[in-house]
Amino acid sequence: MIVDFKRPSFHIKYLSSLTSNKWIRLALSNPIDMLIDHAHCERKAAGVAIQLMFRYPSEPDLAEVLSPIAREELEHFEKILYFLKDLGHSLKALHPPPYGAELSKSIRKDEPNRMLDSFLIAGLIEARSHERLSLLALNSEKESFKLLYNSLLESEARHFGIYWKLAQSKYSKNDTFKRLEELSKIESKIISKTFSMPRVHS
Amino acid sequence: MIVDFKRPSFHIKYLSSLTSNKWIRLALSNPIDMLIDHAHCERKAAGVAIQLMFRYPSEPDLAEVLSPIAREELEHFEKILYFLKDLGHSLKALHPPPYGAELSKSIRKDEPNRMLDSFLIAGLIEARSHERLSLLALNSEKESFKLLYNSLLESEARHFGIYWKLAQSKYSKNDTFKRLEELSKIESKIISKTFSMPRVHS
């Protein structure tokens, strides 16, 4: 049976590929694991923002934008936690997909390239999350899940925008666009290979 | 000249020693460095809470209390950031005192001891911060600094209470009290040795 899934009319144009039907099918069949995995993603995203603040403690105007991102990720983490609790579930460790670790390999080791790549990869992960949460918001079976994902997805797009602006404020337009294009292709390649587990970034 | 500094009427009873006049004098003479250092402390405390959530992803009722602590630390971090900006200063990297690293050496490597020690040490750091921010709130020269420290210090005591309750909820009363007493003595020994830099935990 070929299912025609709903797709968002808007997606972040810098993603080089759209998510496959195969991922959507797997995700919709495992709603609780997807939620638990997404809770872990929110927490990891808070960790990434804080880690960048640690790495560049004196970088102007960096902490001012990263700290509120980290707080919002944690708010979302807590929201999912209580949603899961209401359903009688709780957090558990899940084997993560290789996505994050694979992507990090593309971060160049020398500065200022390292900081640029870190911003762009953090942004691309937010962009991919936005696309996938949109798919879950549109296609989840239960109304409560649709509402939850809808309440989370807007900030993923906004966080992409913040990382993108950070990159543009500190690097030349040419460098940022060129590198984003390269990293976006790498991101699409990684995500196309890893859809065997029900995870947000599998 | 012997200065008689104001001391808080309340302090967390589990601290084994009071802060010396020498520390107070050094701290009051370096108000901006103290603020910058305290901003870093708030960010580190957020990092510690998130790290514990990462280490124990399926520990019941842990993330529910640690995530709000991390958010509050980040809020305080941002508050100090803007206070500094108003004064024409910004964050900069500061050489940290050995306090945190030294304390961490007392965390036992085996579970469940590791988790207990992690809670108690995180709590003791909050307790010491509470005592020292109280001293800064009482003795700072400028009213704006008094107000700022007053607005921050209450949550340090509350966070101590949260870590203490976490420990008590998961370990026997005897074990927690005995270990807290041991760690508190170690904390006092470390902090008595390291007052050469103007830092919150020097």
Side-chain angles (χ1 to χ4, degrees), chain B residues 11 26 35 46 75 95 107 138 143 147 172 177 184 188 190:
Chain B
H11 77 275
L26 187 66
L35 263 185
E75 264 173 37
H95 191 75
I107 297 177
L138 286 168
E143 192 59 31
L147 285 168
S172 79
F177 271 95
S184 167
S188 282
I190 293 170

Side-chain angles (χ1 to χ4, degrees), chain B residues 136-149:
Chain B
L136 295 174
L138 286 168
N139 297 289
S140 280
E141 199 188 328
K142 290 191 179 160
E143 192 59 31
S144 60
F145 280 68
K146 284 175 190 273
L147 285 168
L148 176 70
Y149 284 118

